[in-house]
Amino acid sequence: MQFPKFVAPDFNKEPFVSAPDVKTEPAGDGFLPENFYATTIYPEYFKIDGKWTMLHKSRMDCAVVIKDGIPTVTEPRRIKAGDQVVVGRKDDGTTGVYVHANCFVEANDDSNSAFAFRTGQSRETSFSWEYDRLYEILRHDRDNGYIVWVLGPACVFDYDSRTAMANLIKKGYCDCLFAGNALATHDLEAALFNTGLGQDIYTKKHVENGHYNHLHTINLVRRAGSIERFLDEYKLDTGVMHALTTTGTPFVLAGSIRDDGPLPEVIPNVYEAQNAMREHTRKATTVICLATQLHTIATGNMTPSYCETEEGIRPVYIYSVDISEFAVNKLHDRGSLSVKGLVTNIQDFLVNLERNL
Amino acid sequence: MQFPKFVAPDFNKEPFVSAPDVKTEPAGDGFLPENFYATTIYPEYFKIDGKWTMLHKSRMDCAVVIKDGIPTVTEPRRIKAGDQVVVGRKDDGTTGVYVHANCFVEANDDSNSAFAFRTGQSRETSFSWEYDRLYEILRHDRDNGYIVWVLGPACVFDYDSRTAMANLIKKGYCDCLFAGNALATHDLEAALFNTGLGQDIYTKKHVENGHYNHLHTINLVRRAGSIERFLDEYKLDTGVMHALTTTGTPFVLAGSIRDDGPLPEVIPNVYEAQNAMREHTRKATTVICLATQLHTIATGNMTPSYCETEEGIRPVYIYSVDISEFAVNKLHDRGSLSVKGLVTNIQDFLVNLERNL
Amino acid sequence: MQFPKFVAPDFNKEPFVSAPDVKTEPAGDGFLPENFYATTIYPEYFKIDGKWTMLHKSRMDCAVVIKDGIPTVTEPRRIKAGDQVVVGRKDDGTTGVYVHANCFVEANDDSNSAFAFRTGQSRETSFSWEYDRLYEILRHDRDNGYIVWVLGPACVFDYDSRTAMANLIKKGYCDCLFAGNALATHDLEAALFNTGLGQDIYTKKHVENGHYNHLHTINLVRRAGSIERFLDEYKLDTGVMHALTTTGTPFVLAGSIRDDGPLPEVIPNVYEAQNAMREHTRKATTVICLATQLHTIATGNMTPSYCETEEGIRPVYIYSVDISEFAVNKLHDRGSLSVKGLVTNIQDFLVNLERNL
Amino acid sequence: MQFPKFVAPDFNKEPFVSAPDVKTEPAGDGFLPENFYATTIYPEYFKIDGKWTMLHKSRMDCAVVIKDGIPTVTEPRRIKAGDQVVVGRKDDGTTGVYVHANCFVEANDDSNSAFAFRTGQSRETSFSWEYDRLYEILRHDRDNGYIVWVLGPACVFDYDSRTAMANLIKKGYCDCLFAGNALATHDLEAALFNTGLGQDIYTKKHVENGHYNHLHTINLVRRAGSIERFLDEYKLDTGVMHALTTTGTPFVLAGSIRDDGPLPEVIPNVYEAQNAMREHTRKATTVICLATQLHTIATGNMTPSYCETEEGIRPVYIYSVDISEFAVNKLHDRGSLSVKGLVTNIQDFLVNLERNL
């Protein structure tokens, strides 16, 4: 596995040498100084006490607090009154802030990349290379990285893809899973009734009173007190939640206003859910988002384009897989330029992936 | 304005006369009895002490608690231990539960309606009649109903549609607005900077450092302490939030995991947000959902197909407007059969609407 | 391979026994009698000289000409003055015309089928069973049927899917291919330059002056005089057109107004192209349409829902695979009710299929 | 109406002065010399006998034939053996060929345009300015230009949009219309039966035996011998074809393999249809394409980005309006960079347009 090489800035050159220390101003109670600086997805450096210091485990659209000479990326909502917050909106080094956007050099890059860069992903884009690269990354990161999956409920509405995802978890290709109440609910519905929203996940036949199945499942889980106890109690042994539970893989289920239930593990406060997700994206080396705009954008917002590992600084690979070009390209358009998109049905994607790993 | 006529069931006929009283069982602590009955979007009747009693202000997928002879629709998460919950899954009257699905009779209905009913909405569906009917409904409900709007952020990314929506509010066509942090944020960004995500909402030109605009706006609102104080402080007088604030129209901003900020008025706990929304859908006579799957489905889940007004029992009209057939048809597929869909860009929809009202 | 059983009408019962002979009127020069009868995709019977006779190799929206007691389905544009054309628009047997819509009985059909029938295909539909069934059909029809493929150009823009399709042809899973100038052009471009519209079909890199590649390819084929001579001359041995040529599989390339070139084999007159396609759909037992609305609808229009084989009367299976629900469902909405849709990227579909066959 | 200013190249500068005359080679019988030069959508100049000469009424992907010192753009299929065809693939002037891509200067252009340029059109793009600009262009071009419309059948499936389009024609906003057999057929079906594919275009109700309506209409037109005679014979006075006929506006109906019928005016040979369309795009100053990928791409392929009028050289404005981002962006991705896209339902688009003009 060969990553593009990280090339650090040369801080012995201008404008770095002559640049002043970065400026800060104290935050108010729940708000930032007016001229606050906001982070990007790229490696960033701040000149503090005459030295350029890298920001660790960054994410975009956040404030930088400097304390004891150390810069820390902080969500604005977590800022406390008096925090010393970096101010100024230049990021070219001249004011003590440097964003190192082009930090990775591809082995055999060429002059056409500029043009290729502008090309969005569509149903007519070739994905052969992207698949092969993804297999390579996942094989590497299973043992040497931290793979986060972000799943929409469609992943468990199909027998083959639900089985494929469960197998990927069991084989070690998932270090953490993000989803909502619906993914977990319909996965457990499938474990108990073999249906998704009342429709057989293999034959697609509608079962009688099937619209009750997910409500019934939620009720039983709530009675059991937890997903794990529910699976035990009913001796269920298939699906995504079962694979997570038996392998001890952590998951974050974030609440949303369209939830029935919810299941006991769902986090009702969305900002606490963000905090829980953020603990994992700080560690992420690869993120795979399937068929959920809400969770994909939320995750993309809090994932940097690089990570520091024992192998050095390398890219974080983010994949957004959806059948809609709009959904795939949206994350990219919001500034998450390192996202790779695949426009396809995630059922086929999962089955493909599992078969090749 | 002529509504389809509500025809009540004739409870002097069978099977109603011979049917037993509805059965209940006590709920547990946070869960329902196993065989719980779940509500629909239609008028429902329960036989209690020998009398058929209608359930008021219903919504789908909920439990029915009977206390002092009165049935009340209750979200499962709000059930308390010991509540007497209706059980059984038949709804044809024979067990004391009757769902009155075909309760409305159109004036000039005909034999083709069955076939027409099956036809989904697509980009090739004719919407002329639907528009004319919607104008009629809105004119009536402005003075005699309760109109709830559910907006995605795209509504304020365009100068004309943002202005049209603000005018509709000022003209009295909005009794309550549901949205998320993003709609309010980008509307206020437009009020302050004339941009949406840093792009001029009229000329589409990108302004310098424009990606700061929404973060900057959020920060100022948080410093001001509320949207209203922010608008006052900066003497802003355009847009949706300004129209709501100056007309005293209530709004519910529900939090989500993709939020920056959030703005002070956003409700972080999604189930509390559901409760707040539910207070308004109980009163709704017309609901118009634009370009947001999350909020549309959430609202659809908690809105019945009928309402009781001074004019009698009439349909609640729910419109789902989105550029994606999938989004428009999804709510319908989930059981909200009374939803009418329009497949179009909501910018054009809003401009059309405002011009015709 | 078990097909649903064909059940013939019982013409010894009413209304068949008392029905009069079917009526005909003479056609004009280029037009039908005003009250012409139009065919469907189902088996149809006409009472001629007191006997009910089945129409062979039918297709929808055509006229029926009776000559020497034999009914023949005929495109209106091929009608000649004086042809005796069936008139009347009833098809329940009472007027001598009977459409046998529900002619196939599934082995284990059940009461839910009516409801399931109404459900369209979407990105959230489970396709596991559909895939397994398709594998089974293709294995059967390779040796006992006639498999027609209808391909849009996206099939050859990706290295893996182009290879998969070529392999399917070589393995005998294709008896005829329908496409346009673009599919053939970009397939040959890939054979010569390894690009699709100038982009490497594996790495996606843009090659220099790559926008010339397809024009250049077309020009060389025109100079060579035929696709086969071009492949020979340049010793090319990959792709769809190569697989067709070396296996002697027939293909129809229909012209369209967006063509560059065209290649020598493309049929410029669209009605002659329809005639050429129709020769193959008359024989088809399975039709697989990938990522082309134009050719898919054209083919669907001329393919019946049943065929007469040595194994008896069986269904013709038509699959429409596209990433857009609108495209997949459109054929169905136009009356081709026997079409099965899969909503996915056809790259994944082809790779899946080839791997499992 | 202020157009961006055309700035001609300064041929007194290098490399133009020292450049050699352009080279040509003779064409073969039905094919070009191997190293042929292909045209773009931009103004192009060829050095002939020491003078730089502009190519008139160009289009992309074609050959340039030089005869008597005059360069003429020629579709490769229309090349004759012995034609002197420009060869070489450089276009920077150094070899006698110069493509003047950035020939128009906007009045108040600014530094952000480069970035803005890269942004695709989506359902979340603001279209207010685009609409206002389009109104301005159409008002100007009605009297001073040549407006070509390219329509898919969806335009006549809705009562309001069909009426709006007919009014735009009657008011002089259409100099030529391109469409297929379906648009004309369903427009005439609506004139005769008030339905589109058997569904009432206002109420959306399905009429009995409505699937016959378009076949019946086609048959009557074929019997009448022409659209005009059919309209007269049945005294029909609504819709697009009626407006074209009564105003004497030319139209091109191009055949396709999905046609029923066809109507008498439809051109069966697609390359003859291309020729007929090309006669009009040579004159076009504005082109508006609605809801048809096939005809839109065909038209885009043969329309240059500039035109020479009495007011001087100005842009040709091409609008592609469709509900699918993929369709809107596709033309742009194929090299037709001057296309402006609007992502919306064309029903609303047409109604909006007619109301504002």
Side-chain angles (χ1 to χ4, degrees), chain C residues 6-17 45 52 98 100:
Chain C
F6 176 80
V7 180
D10 183 352
F11 289 114
N12 295 318
K13 291 195 176 157
E14 291 296 356
F16 305 116
V17 174
Y45 300 83
W52 286 93
Y98 182 64
H100 192 32

Side-chain angles (χ1 to χ4, degrees), chain B residues 276-292:
Chain B
M277 293 162 74
R278 174 78 175 125
E279 288 310 301
H280 296 283
T281 63
R282 288 165 60 94
K283 295 183 272 186
T285 56
T286 294
V287 180
I288 305 178
C289 306
L290 307 185
T292 163

Side-chain angles (χ1 to χ4, degrees), chain D residues 65 236 238 289:
Chain D
V65 173
L236 304 174
T238 65
C289 307

Side-chain angles (χ1 to χ4, degrees), chain B residues 112 125-132 157-158 160 201-202 204 206 323 343-345 347-348 352 355, chain D residues 112 125-132 157-158 160 201-202 204 206 323 343-345 347-348 352 355:
Chain B
N112 289 302
T125 305
S126 165
F127 294 119
S128 296
W129 179 84
E130 213 73 89
Y131 269 116
D132 288 348
F157 281 158
D158 172 72
D160 286 345
I201 62 169
Y202 180 66
K204 293 194 286 186
H206 290 269
I323 208 156
V343 179
T344 192
N345 187 317
Q347 295 178 18
D348 283 333
N352 259 347
R355 203 171 279 154
Chain D
N112 289 301
T125 304
S126 165
F127 294 120
S128 296
W129 180 84
E130 213 73 89
Y131 269 116
D132 288 348
F157 282 158
D158 172 71
D160 285 345
I201 63 168
Y202 180 66
K204 295 193 287 186
H206 291 268
I323 209 156
V343 179
T344 191
N345 188 317
Q347 295 179 16
D348 283 332
N352 258 346
R355 203 172 277 153

Side-chain angles (χ1 to χ4, degrees), chain C residues 274-286:
Chain C
Q274 283 186 349
N275 293 351
M277 292 162 76
R278 173 78 174 127
E279 287 311 300
H280 296 284
T281 62
R282 288 165 61 95
K283 295 183 272 185
T285 56
T286 295

Side-chain angles (χ1 to χ4, degrees), chain C residues 39-354:
Chain C
T39 54
T40 69
I41 56 170
Y42 303 109
E44 298 179 18
Y45 300 83
F46 298 89
K47 195 165 185 179
I48 304 169
D49 301 332
K51 273 189 206 160
W52 286 93
T53 307
M54 187 175 168
L55 184 66
H56 297 292
K57 303 194 175 298
S58 188
R59 57 156 294 183
M60 72 178 193
D61 288 352
C62 283
V64 176
V65 173
I66 297 185
K67 192 180 172 189
D68 302 332
I70 298 166
T72 308
V73 64
T74 311
E75 285 82 3
R77 64 183 158 76
R78 299 168 111 176
I79 288 285
K80 296 193 175 58
D83 280 351
Q84 287 295 325
V85 172
V86 171
V87 293
R89 290 185 179 173
K90 295 191 82 169
D91 56 13
D92 60 359
T94 57
T95 59
V97 178
Y98 182 64
V99 172
H100 192 32
N102 298 306
C103 60
F104 293 114
V105 179
E106 287 285 351
N108 50 354
D109 205 7
D110 59 35
S111 58
N112 289 300
S113 61
F115 183 62
F117 182 76
R118 270 153 51 187
T119 307
Q121 307 301 319
S122 90
R123 62 196 72 176
E124 295 187 347
T125 305
S126 166
F127 294 120
S128 296
W129 180 84
E130 213 73 89
Y131 269 117
D132 288 348
R133 179 74 175 155
L134 176 58
Y135 302 146
E136 196 182 13
I137 291 169
L138 288 177
R139 280 194 204 98
H140 176 273
D141 279 10
R142 183 178 62 162
D143 302 321
N144 309 282
Y146 196 84
I147 307 171
V148 176
W149 290 78
V150 184
L151 301 193
C155 301
V156 296
F157 281 158
D158 172 71
Y159 176 85
D160 285 345
S161 62
R162 179 170 172 267
T163 304
M165 186 66 222
N167 286 342
L168 286 165
I169 295 167
K170 288 181 200 159
K171 289 179 185 173
Y173 288 104
C174 173
D175 292 296
C176 181
L177 184 138
F178 296 168
N181 185 65
L183 179 280
T185 294
H186 293 301
D187 179 67
L188 297 173
E189 177 193 349
L192 187 61
F193 291 114
N194 214 35
T195 61
L197 268 177
Q199 201 177 17
D200 189 291
I201 63 169
Y202 180 65
T203 65
K204 293 194 286 187
K205 292 204 173 157
H206 291 268
V207 305
E208 200 173 326
N209 260 342
H211 61 286
Y212 268 99
N213 287 5
H214 73 286
L215 300 174
H216 194 111
T217 302
I218 291 171
N219 191 47
L220 296 181
V221 182
R222 288 174 67 93
R223 191 176 68 181
S226 78
I227 291 169
E228 191 166 2
R229 280 201 290 274
F230 165 75
L231 290 166
D232 281 354
E233 196 174 317
Y234 287 85
K235 300 191 196 318
L236 303 175
D237 59 2
T238 65
V240 171
M241 299 314 296
H242 173 263
L244 292 172
T245 306
T246 53
T247 56
T249 306
F251 56 88
V252 179
L253 301 181
S256 92
I257 52 171
R258 52 183 275 202
D259 293 348
D260 291 304
L263 296 173
E265 282 83 354
V266 173
I267 303 173
N269 181 307
V270 291
Y271 309 115
E272 289 172 19
Q274 283 186 349
N275 293 351
M277 292 162 76
R278 173 78 174 127
E279 287 311 300
H280 296 284
T281 62
R282 288 165 61 95
K283 295 183 272 185
T285 56
T286 295
V287 180
I288 305 178
C289 306
L290 307 185
T292 164
Q293 274 193 61
L294 174 63
H295 294 259
T296 298
I297 293 174
T299 305
N301 285 350
M302 58 176 77
T303 307
S305 68
Y306 66 99
C307 55
E308 298 162 84
T309 71
E310 291 181 11
E311 298 170 281
I313 298 180
R314 50 159 276 196
V316 174
Y317 293 99
I318 309 184
Y319 291 84
S320 171
V321 187
D322 200 290
I323 209 154
S324 145
E325 278 102 358
F326 177 72
V328 166
N329 290 322
K330 181 160 183 165
L331 196 57
H332 198 277
D333 284 349
R334 284 178 62 86
S336 300
L337 297 177
S338 63
V339 175
K340 289 165 190 306
L342 285 97
V343 179
T344 191
N345 187 316
I346 51 82
Q347 295 178 16
D348 283 333
F349 175 81
L350 280 172
V351 170
N352 259 348
L353 214 62
E354 196 254 339

